[in-house]
Amino acid sequence: MGKIILTGDRPTGRLHVGHYVGSLKRRVELQNSGEFDEIYIMIADAQALTDNADNPEKVRQNIIEVALDYLACGLDPGKSVLFIQSQVPELCEMTFYYMDLVTVSRLQRNPTVKSEIQMRNFEASIPVGFFTYPISQAADITAFKATTVPVGEDQAPMIEQTREIVHKFNSVYGETLVEPDILLPDNKACLRLPGIDGKAKMSKSLGNCIYLSDSEDEIKKKIMSMFTDPNHLKVEDPGQVEGNPVFIYLDAFCRDEHFEKYLPDYKNLDELKAHYTRGGLGDVKVKRFLNSVLQDELRPIRERRREIAKDIPAVYRILEEGSRKAEQKAAQTLAEMKRAMKINYFEDKELIAEQAERFRTEME
Ligand code: TRP
C-alpha cells in the first residue's frame, strides 16, 4: 500500500510562523523526500465556515492568501495536489454516513473543540456544523486514504477521532478505509509556538502573530516588542529561558551557523542560554539575534510570494486543477464505501435479481 499525505488549513487569515514551524516547513520537506506516493494539501474553507457562517467573505478572501503562502513556502503543484475543500462535494456525503458512527458524548470529549468553543464564547449556542467538524475532518482524511497526517499537536484529537471512525466503519462494513497516523513536528519548540505576547498560542484573534507575508520592518517591530522573562529587569540579572518566548523562537528557528554569522561569541544556543541564565546578557541583544535569524528564514518566502502574486489567475487555475484531481480520488473512495455499506443499489445486480425472485415467488 502506498504512503499518502493529507493535511490542510482553514482559510481564516494569512499563515504565520506558527503554521510554518508547526507544519508548513515539514510538509515541504516531506513533499521533496520522495517517500510519498500522493500528497494532498487542502484549503479547508467548508471547515472555516463552521464558525464563520455569517462572514463568508472572510473565508473567500483568505483562500488566495493561504494558497500564496503554500506556494511561497515551496509546496509544488507538480508534486502535491493543492485543492479547496468545498469543491469536493463527496466529503459532505462521507461526513453524513460517518455521523452514524459517532456519539454526541464522544464529540463532547474532544479537548480541542472544547477550548475552541470557549474561545469563541459559543457555550450557549454551538453551531451543529462546528460541533461536528471533527467528523467532517475524518472525511477529509479518509477520502484520500491518507496514511500520514502532518499537523500540529492541537489536531491530535481529530486524528484520534478519525482512527475510531475508520475502525468502526471497517468492523461494521468490512475493510475499506485506512487508519491514518499523525505526524507531529520533531522539534519540541515547534509543537506550539507561543504568540509574541507569550500567550499559549499564536492566533490572529489575539493579534500576536508574525505572518509569513510580514515586511522586514513589521517583523523587526514585532520581535523587539516581544515578551521575555518579566523578572529579567537589568542586564546583570539572571534570566529564565524556559517559557521565554524569545528563546522558544530561537529553539524553533536558529541553527549553529546563525551563531557563526551573527553572534560569533557563542558557538550555539546552549551557550547563549547559559549566559542568559547566569545573568549579564540583555534582552535587546537576544532579540536582535532572533531578528537576524527570522529575517533570513522569511525573506526568501516573502520574495517568492510577491513573485507568485503577479499572476493570481494562475494560482486559481492551480487550485481548480487540484480540486478536480482531489474529487476524482474522493469519488473513488466514496464508491467503495457505498459498495461496502451496500447502498450501491443500481450496480448491485444480485440485489435486483434477489428482489425480483422474492416478489415472483410471493405472487405465485
Ligand atoms: N482543523 C485543521 C486546522 O484548523 C484544518 C483541517 C481540516 C485539517 N481538515 C483537515 C488538517 C484534515 C488535517 C487534516 O488547522
Side-chain angles (χ1 to χ4, degrees):
M1 197 187 63
K3 284 174 74 179
I4 300 174
I5 285 180
L6 176 119
T7 186
D9 301 278
R10 295 181 198 173
T12 52
R14 292 173 290 152
L15 300 181
H16 51 62
V17 293
H19 294 116
Y20 181 66
V21 293
S23 67
L24 270 172
K25 192 175 174 183
R26 185 75 174 286
R27 283 182 208 169
V28 175
E29 287 163 10
L30 294 168
Q31 168 194 270
N32 296 334
S33 72
E35 268 181 52
F36 292 87
D37 302 289
E38 295 165 49
I39 302 175
Y40 297 91
I41 311 288
M42 180 180 76
I43 300 182
D45 63 334
Q47 188 175 108
L49 286 169
T50 64
D51 63 333
N52 286 287
D54 49 5
N55 199 358
E57 194 53 25
K58 172 166 119 188
V59 175
R60 193 169 120 95
Q61 293 297 333
N62 280 303
I63 287 174
I64 191 74
E65 299 280 359
V66 171
L68 285 171
D69 286 329
Y70 282 172
L71 295 166
C73 285
L75 288 174
D76 171 357
K79 295 178 181 161
S80 299
V81 177
L82 307 180
F83 73 100
I84 304 179
Q85 186 182 27
S86 63
Q87 304 308 298
V88 183
E90 285 78 0
L91 299 175
C92 298
E93 209 174 324
M94 289 182 187
T95 303
F96 193 67
Y97 297 121
Y98 291 168
M99 285 187 172
D100 302 332
L101 308 176
V102 180
T103 63
V104 171
S105 65
R106 173 63 184 86
L107 282 174
Q108 280 167 333
R109 284 205 312 272
N110 186 312
T112 299
V113 175
K114 261 193 205 165
S115 72
E116 285 174 327
I117 286 172
Q118 267 176 5
M119 261 170 58
R120 289 164 179 69
N121 294 318
F122 268 168
E123 281 96 339
S125 58
I126 309 167
V128 174
F130 182 78
F131 181 62
T132 55
Y133 89 73
I135 305 178
S136 116
Q137 193 156 335
D140 302 336
I141 295 169
T142 53
F144 301 94
K145 304 231 165 134
T147 53
T148 312
V149 185
V151 279
E153 185 185 40
D154 62 323
Q155 296 297 305
M158 312 306 158
I159 314 305
E160 201 42 51
Q161 176 77 79
T162 303
R163 293 172 61 90
E164 286 175 32
I165 289 174
V166 170
H167 186 79
K168 184 92 195 248
F169 188 100
N170 287 349
S171 59
V172 175
Y173 304 115
E175 231 21 68
T176 311
L177 302 172
V178 177
E179 266 187 52
D181 287 313
I182 189 169
L183 186 62
L184 292 168
D186 37 18
N187 177 340
K188 225 173 123 244
C190 299
L191 279 176
R192 187 168 294 204
L193 204 67
I196 55 172
D197 56 358
K199 292 236 169 70
K201 207 177 161 179
M202 196 171 275
S203 128
K204 192 167 53 89
S205 48
L206 297 173
N208 61 3
C209 308
I210 297 177
Y211 293 100
L212 294 175
S213 45
D214 275 348
S215 69
E216 186 165 346
D217 276 357
E218 284 167 321
I219 296 170
K220 182 158 186 208
K221 227 179 271 156
K222 286 179 182 178
I223 291 178
M224 297 319 282
S225 76
M226 240 168 122
F227 191 91
T228 65
D229 172 4
N231 299 317
H232 186 242
L233 298 173
K234 290 197 251 57
V235 174
E236 317 81 79
D237 291 342
Q240 199 171 340
V241 296
E242 290 86 29
N244 182 331
V246 177
F247 280 94
I248 297 176
Y249 279 46
L250 284 173
D251 274 326
F253 286 100
C254 97
R255 295 182 297 275
D256 292 355
E257 57 265 31
H258 289 126
F259 283 94
E260 224 173 287
K261 193 166 164 195
Y262 297 114
L263 267 190
D265 292 350
Y266 306 85
K267 254 208 230 39
N268 54 38
L269 190 53
D270 288 338
E271 285 188 6
L272 189 75
K273 283 182 178 173
H275 191 181
Y276 191 83
T277 311
R278 204 162 61 230
L281 176 58
D283 283 329
V284 171
K285 186 166 175 184
V286 186
K287 285 179 173 177
R288 284 216 181 101
F289 175 57
L290 174 61
N291 180 55
S292 306
V293 170
L294 215 52
Q295 298 287 1
D296 272 8
E297 189 90 7
L298 299 184
R299 189 177 309 108
I301 297 174
R302 183 175 56 241
E303 284 170 3
R304 237 175 293 140
R305 199 181 195 275
R306 212 178 291 137
E307 226 18 67
I308 298 163
K310 287 180 182 161
D311 191 356
I312 292 293
V315 178
Y316 280 103
R317 283 197 298 275
I318 289 171
L319 296 175
E320 187 179 2
E321 171 71 1
S323 299
R324 206 182 45 74
K325 283 190 198 153
E327 188 178 7
Q328 275 173 1
K329 171 87 182 201
Q332 224 173 32
T333 306
L334 179 62
E336 285 171 39
M337 279 173 56
K338 287 169 122 176
R339 232 169 276 143
M341 296 169 75
K342 294 193 173 294
I343 55 173
N344 58 333
Y345 313 111
F346 308 131
E347 64 172 33
D348 189 346
K349 299 288 177 276
E350 224 169 90
L351 170 74
I352 297 168
E354 184 188 297
Q355 296 300 329
E357 176 64 14
R358 186 160 73 84
F359 281 87
R360 198 178 53 76
T361 47
E362 261 174 31
M363 277 184 292
E364 274 171 6

